Amino acid sequence: MAVRAIRGATQLEADVRDHMLERVAEMVLDLMEANGLEVDDFISVIFTATSDLVSEFPAYAARRLGFGEIPLLCARELEIERSMPRVVRMMAHVETDLPRADITHVYLHGAAALRSDLSRVRSVPDQ
């Protein structure tokens, strides 16, 4: 079994706690589904958030999904001029039999524009 890193990102409409928890949970669950993962497959997850998001720790959404025993870390995203606002990113380290080429990185909502170079960007329309 190999260790792989899987990335994801989502954009929030506003910095509202319930919205943060909903969007981060959606990103984590979509990443799990897209790659056939269970919580026990995760080694660790790093979340970053842009400086305009302060309503909740993104990791709390993962803890609510059963990630209580998985090391989780939240950090601040670099403040680069013209960067996309209200974005939460994640890098998950997992154990999987998937070859690197078959890993699906998940970019949702406005964050889909962050990695248009990836062939398997998953875009979820805003509801």
Side-chain angles (χ1 to χ4, degrees):
M1 183 147 319
V3 173
R4 302 281 183 224
I6 306 177
R7 293 185 48 188
T10 191
Q11 186 178 38
L12 281 66
E13 298 300 316
D15 183 30
V16 176
R17 183 177 186 270
D18 287 343
H19 186 51
M20 164 80 78
L21 295 172
E22 174 186 303
R23 288 280 171 102
V24 173
E26 175 189 37
M27 174 177 60
V28 171
L29 291 171
D30 200 40
L31 183 141
M32 292 172 70
E33 180 182 340
N35 292 286
L37 299 171
E38 302 286 331
V39 172
D40 286 342
D41 297 324
F42 285 76
I43 298 167
S44 64
V45 182
I46 300 167
F47 292 95
T48 66
T50 52
S51 62
D52 50 4
L53 296 176
V54 297
S55 62
E56 184 57 86
F57 292 100
Y60 182 62
R63 284 190 191 96
R64 291 174 35 155
L65 295 173
F67 282 68
E69 295 182 7
I70 308 300
L72 306 174
L73 177 70
C74 293
R76 185 61 71 205
E77 188 67 33
L78 292 174
E79 294 188 39
I80 305 299
E81 191 175 324
R82 297 178 310 280
S83 62
M84 185 178 288
R86 300 176 316 281
V87 174
V88 176
R89 293 172 173 85
M90 69 181 287
M91 182 181 306
H93 301 96
V94 301
E95 293 180 313
T96 180
D97 289 326
L98 287 175
R100 184 173 283 122
D102 291 342
I103 295 292
T104 300
H105 305 279
V106 175
Y107 292 82
L108 304 176
H109 305 286
L114 291 172
R115 291 304 306 258
S116 58
D117 59 315
L118 293 178
S119 60
R120 287 173 293 192
V121 170
R122 297 169 57 89
S123 179
V124 174
D126 290 325
Q127 298 177 10

